[in-house]
Amino acid sequence: MVIDLDPPRGAGDLAIGMPIEEAERILREISGFMPPAPGEARNKGFAHYDSELSISLDFDSRGVVRAIELFRPEGDVQITFRGLSLFEEPADVVIARFSEMFRIEIEDEGLNVTVPDVFIGLWRSVTPEESGGEEGRYFESVLIAAPGYGA
């Protein structure tokens, strides 16, 4: 399965600006959806999948989706932007490809990378230099948002 990011419009069938109730229905329809275990509390707008993909929606007080964050899957799921697989390619490759196309901002020595012109933010908890190994070679999440989000 491929989920293509189209910021600031959306990701796959999820659209920024849609009502959270509609977005939650779409989250449940994505292949591999794992419903909460009995007694498990989940935040509104959060879904987890058997591929280890997680999706978290941020919404405003009116219940309108304003950002979509996808967390790195392990299985056969690709998260792409203009043909670039954001979690299968090493973070250094993703940064280089984005910097060829857009202005990028790198913060916290590479933990946070934003691509403001296309409303994308990438995150990892550690860099390979910090971990001394494989950990941190890949981004752990990508967020797309509506213009003005977080301002």
Side-chain angles (χ1 to χ4, degrees):
M1 173 174 67
V2 175
I3 298 175
D4 192 46
L5 304 184
D6 185 21
R9 287 176 274 295
D13 292 333
L14 295 166
I16 291 178
M18 75 176 9
I20 187 64
E21 291 77 16
E22 183 181 346
E24 285 194 305
R25 179 187 54 76
I26 291 169
L27 288 174
R28 289 188 299 271
E29 293 173 355
I30 294 173
S31 177
F33 173 74
M34 296 175 65
E40 176 188 354
R42 277 195 189 159
N43 290 336
K44 188 176 188 93
F46 180 84
H48 188 68
Y49 301 88
D50 59 11
S51 64
E52 294 300 316
L53 170 70
S54 293
I55 300 175
S56 181
L57 306 175
D58 186 38
F59 51 95
D60 64 18
S61 60
R62 299 170 300 141
V64 174
V65 174
R66 54 189 202 154
I68 303 167
E69 188 168 17
L70 299 98
F71 295 86
R72 189 170 197 263
E74 294 295 326
D76 57 350
V77 176
Q78 279 192 334
I79 310 301
T80 62
F81 175 74
R82 297 188 182 179
L84 176 62
S85 182
L86 301 177
F87 296 125
E88 289 187 336
E89 293 288 347
D92 292 345
V93 171
V94 172
I95 291 169
R97 291 281 303 279
F98 270 117
S99 67
E100 290 169 4
M101 299 183 278
F102 307 103
R103 172 178 61 91
I104 65 170
E105 297 173 3
I106 299 174
E107 300 172 349
D108 302 321
E109 284 140 37
L111 299 181
N112 295 296
V113 176
T114 55
V115 192
D117 297 338
V118 288
F119 312 102
I120 290 177
L122 298 149
W123 176 81
R124 56 186 164 175
S125 59
V126 66
T127 63
E129 294 77 23
E130 292 173 312
S131 73
E134 285 295 298
E135 192 178 355
R137 274 193 69 218
Y138 297 90
F139 284 111
E140 296 169 46
S141 76
V142 60
L143 179 130
I144 63 169
Y149 178 79

